[in-house]
Amino acid sequence: MRYAKCQRSSMAYIGNCVRAGVNMNSGFDNELYIQKQTEQILKRVKLFGSKLYLEFGGKLFDDYHAARVLPGFDVNGKILLLESMKDITEIIICINAADIESNKVRDDLGITYDMDALRQIDNMRKMGLYISSIVISQYADQPSADMFKQKLELRGEKVYVHKPIKGYPTNIDLVVSDAGYGSNPYIETTKPLIVVTAPGPGSGKMATCLSQLYHEQKNNIDAGYAKFETFPIWNLPLKHPVNLAYEAATADLNDVNAIDPFHLDAYGETSVSYNRDIEAFPIVKAILSRIMDSDDVYMSPTDMGVNMAGYCIIDEDLVKEASKQEIVRRYFKTWCAYKEGRIGIYAVDKLEIIMKQLNLTPEYAPAVSPALEKSKLNKCPAMALILPDGKVITGRTTSVLAAPASLVLNCIKSLAGIPDDIHLIAPHVLEPMMMLKEKIMYDQNPLLNLEEVLNALSICAATDPSAEKGLLQLHDLRGCEAHSSHIISKSDEDTLKKLGINVTCSPEFSSNDLYSM
């Protein structure tokens, strides 16, 4: 059986990325994508017989990276796809016990993997999706994993633990035996499509799928395996900006895109995969062949994937531009993470190589230069934002407001046509807030952050027409590009994300203090 042909047989959040006043509309047909992905998944289910274990790569919810590089991609498009197939679908959530123990955080949301797993379960159940169980992988009696398991079981959830297998994955004789996959508990499933997903990479999704295949074969149940992937896009060129943007997004994982040599050898066709899949393929193929008693289950890593995204790009130039902007964002994000001691210099080096491959500079992002100029002129942290019509708005740190708060107030004033000399928030409202922070709560940074200012603005909007008019403009900032001359606080970063603003920061600290909130 060669399953590549079922993929190769076919050729709402719209990113509003703006550069130099050019409006970035839809470059990706999301409806076509859902249609094609659904068709391919159903073909795989049919080909394998009774069941398909579908390893879900990337984010089920809130896939803002995909929406930024593929303008028109729905951030929740993948979960909506599953919702359309919920009658035949059940879901298994995987999480690595080591990630629970280390309190690993999902950077884009600022919450730990275990909390994100709970969030995903709640959100999927509200959509009517069936979550049958949770698997804690790489379990080695970690205390935090025990507590997580107990908490779930007390709420009536089915929780399974998979312990490390000695010699995994290279000792295939042991792995594919009752002492290997057979030692994992069998998860009884009832639907033809079993989606195996996780809060992030390294959570044991593939091992869970293969373990289940082993048990299904022992029970004489036909079942198969496939991967739902978005990036890299296999039928785009290796150095296409979309694929380079994926490399930029995974620089800390040291993922590298590469031509799939197995696919080229089997079919004479060039396709793109990434290093971990290519390196692991001989072992994965051997394990699958042993479990399914067939040598031609898959001929290449590309064969394993269900990825029709490349066929749904409707504006190549727009997508390339959006991807270049994303690479610059990742460049700044990686530099800041390095300066904060969260990643090594290798990730920065990789981003600089990617930037050079596309002849990009930091100033390619449209908000960078005006932010730095504003900071230099005023000798303080400053920010700039590009409005949907291309107009540049700036804001700086004042004696009362942090730069993000100043910037957003200036932006909504401009959008609402409110003169600069009109206060959206009266000084007599802000002064008690500063007094509370400084004199009562002993906050070392009494400047009002963006969330505090927006709360004050919403209160003022009840009696002040100008404040109300300004508040109503906030939704127009979604998708806009902003840059800060200095690293902003976690609180301000989170609030800007909630507003849908794509923010980057120069890797400079706003003060010499070693501790900041």
Side-chain angles (χ1 to χ4, degrees):
M1 294 182 295
R2 294 188 178 182
Y3 301 118
K5 291 182 180 179
C6 73
Q7 171 169 288
R8 295 185 292 126
S9 62
S10 302
M11 247 345 278
Y13 177 77
I14 296 177
N16 187 29
C17 304
V18 176
R19 181 173 187 268
V22 178
N23 187 38
M24 303 285 281
N25 295 309
S26 182
F28 185 83
D29 189 331
N30 197 74
E31 289 186 7
L32 179 63
Y33 174 67
I34 291 179
Q35 174 192 325
K36 286 185 173 292
Q37 284 290 99
T38 302
E39 289 172 355
Q40 295 304 315
I41 291 170
L42 293 177
K43 284 182 181 179
R44 295 286 178 106
V45 174
K46 185 176 180 180
L47 280 166
F48 282 112
S50 300
K51 291 183 180 181
L52 174 68
Y53 284 89
L54 184 63
E55 179 189 347
F56 233 79
K59 300 178 177 70
L60 267 178
F61 292 92
D62 309 318
D63 195 345
Y64 290 105
H65 172 81
R68 288 192 296 264
V69 301
L70 300 170
F73 187 99
D74 189 325
V75 293
N76 292 319
K78 289 182 281 189
I79 194 66
L80 294 175
L81 182 154
L82 292 184
E83 184 184 30
S84 70
M85 296 191 291
K86 62 184 178 183
D87 290 343
I88 65 165
T89 303
E90 69 181 271
I91 297 169
I92 296 173
I93 305 283
C94 294
I95 183 168
N96 192 316
D99 291 341
I100 301 172
E101 187 73 12
S102 65
N103 289 315
K104 189 172 182 179
V105 172
R106 180 172 159 173
D107 280 344
D108 57 337
L109 295 178
I111 60 175
T112 56
Y113 273 29
D114 53 344
M115 291 299 101
D116 189 40
L118 302 183
R119 180 187 76 100
Q120 289 192 32
I121 291 170
D122 287 344
N123 288 340
M124 284 188 278
R125 283 186 172 148
K126 288 174 184 176
M127 300 176 74
L129 289 162
Y130 172 48
I131 293 86
S132 62
S133 56
I134 298 96
V135 172
I136 300 176
S137 64
Q138 296 296 308
Y139 174 76
D141 299 312
Q142 293 94 335
S144 295
D146 286 333
M147 292 177 65
F148 183 68
K149 180 174 181 289
Q150 182 184 50
K151 177 166 67 174
L152 286 168
E153 289 178 334
L154 288 172
R155 299 293 293 270
E157 302 293 340
K158 291 183 179 179
V159 185
Y160 300 84
V161 296
H162 285 185
K163 297 182 178 180
I165 298 173
K166 187 175 181 180
Y168 186 87
T170 53
N171 188 347
I172 295 173
D173 288 337
L174 175 61
V175 170
V176 188
S177 73
D178 287 344
Y181 285 142
S183 66
N184 291 330
Y186 174 49
I187 304 169
E188 292 189 21
T189 55
T190 59
K191 307 272 187 171
L193 176 61
I194 300 97
V195 171
V196 181
T197 186
S203 296
K205 299 188 296 289
M206 177 182 283
T208 298
C209 290
L210 298 180
S211 175
Q212 283 294 106
L213 283 186
Y214 177 83
H215 285 288
E216 301 287 16
Q217 292 297 323
K218 284 197 68 176
N219 292 328
N220 296 315
I221 298 172
D222 291 332
Y225 162 78
K227 295 185 70 172
F228 186 118
E229 297 285 3
T230 309
F231 303 108
I233 296 180
W234 67 278
N235 55 342
L236 290 182
L238 179 64
K239 298 303 179 182
H240 192 285
V242 168
N243 284 337
L244 288 177
Y246 168 75
E247 278 198 31
T250 56
D252 59 328
L253 300 176
N254 206 26
D255 281 353
V256 179
N257 296 335
I259 299 298
D260 182 346
F262 302 98
H263 202 78
L264 185 62
D265 182 60
Y267 308 111
E269 293 180 352
T270 299
S271 67
V272 176
S273 186
Y274 69 100
N275 58 309
R276 282 186 291 147
D277 269 4
I278 292 172
E279 291 162 5
F281 180 70
I283 296 172
V284 174
K285 179 177 170 64
I287 291 173
L288 279 171
S289 298
R290 185 74 64 88
I291 293 173
M292 303 180 73
D293 194 25
S294 173
D295 290 332
D296 61 351
V297 176
Y298 287 125
M299 303 306 293
S300 71
T302 301
D303 283 1
M304 292 193 297
V306 179
N307 185 352
M308 305 304 292
Y311 297 123
C312 304
I313 294 173
I314 55 177
D315 190 327
E316 181 83 5
D317 291 338
L318 193 152
V319 166
K320 285 182 177 179
E321 175 62 23
S323 298
K324 290 176 183 178
Q325 291 292 338
E326 178 67 4
I327 289 167
V328 178
R329 289 189 205 100
R330 295 290 181 173
Y331 169 83
F332 282 113
K333 181 181 176 67
T334 304
W335 254 114
C336 290
Y338 169 67
K339 289 293 287 286
E340 292 173 329
R342 294 187 285 115
I343 59 174
I345 190 64
Y346 67 90
V348 174
D349 293 339
K350 182 170 181 179
L351 260 297
E352 293 192 336
I353 291 170
I354 293 172
M355 293 272 283
K356 288 178 182 177
Q357 288 177 332
L358 294 173
N359 295 315
L360 297 175
T361 64
E363 293 74 23
Y364 191 80
V368 172
S369 293
L372 298 182
E373 290 168 7
K374 181 76 171 179
S375 176
K376 183 178 179 181
L377 179 66
N378 292 277
K379 296 182 173 55
C380 65
M383 291 188 69
L385 181 144
I386 314 299
L387 292 177
D389 63 0
K391 185 177 181 181
V392 179
I393 304 295
T394 60
R396 65 178 179 86
T397 297
T398 69
S399 60
V400 177
L401 306 178
S406 294
L407 174 70
V408 170
L409 289 178
N410 290 342
C411 287
I412 59 178
K413 274 187 179 183
S414 177
L415 289 168
I418 299 172
D420 287 342
D421 59 349
I422 298 294
H423 291 296
L424 294 182
I425 306 173
H428 70 266
V429 173
L430 296 177
E431 288 166 4
M433 295 176 67
M434 291 189 66
M435 185 274 291
L436 174 66
K437 290 188 71 173
E438 189 173 11
K439 305 297 185 182
I440 307 296
M441 305 185 75
Y442 299 103
D443 195 320
Q444 294 183 7
N445 181 11
L447 294 179
L448 298 179
N449 63 38
L450 179 55
E451 183 177 19
E452 291 164 337
V453 167
L454 292 180
N455 286 334
L457 178 66
S458 65
I459 293 171
C460 292
T463 56
D464 185 340
S466 292
E468 181 183 18
K469 189 176 180 181
L471 190 68
L472 294 174
Q473 310 306 313
L474 286 171
H475 63 84
D476 287 337
L477 299 181
R478 187 164 295 277
C480 290
E481 302 295 325
H483 185 78
S484 171
S485 63
H486 294 73
I487 297 172
I488 60 177
S489 71
K490 184 68 169 59
S491 171
D492 281 334
E493 182 182 5
D494 289 344
T495 306
L496 288 166
K497 284 181 180 178
K498 290 176 183 177
L499 292 174
I501 296 171
N502 297 322
V503 62
T504 54
C505 302
S506 293
E508 302 292 338
F509 295 107
S510 58
S511 77
N512 293 323
D513 293 341
L514 296 178
Y515 176 78
S516 61
M517 294 296 288

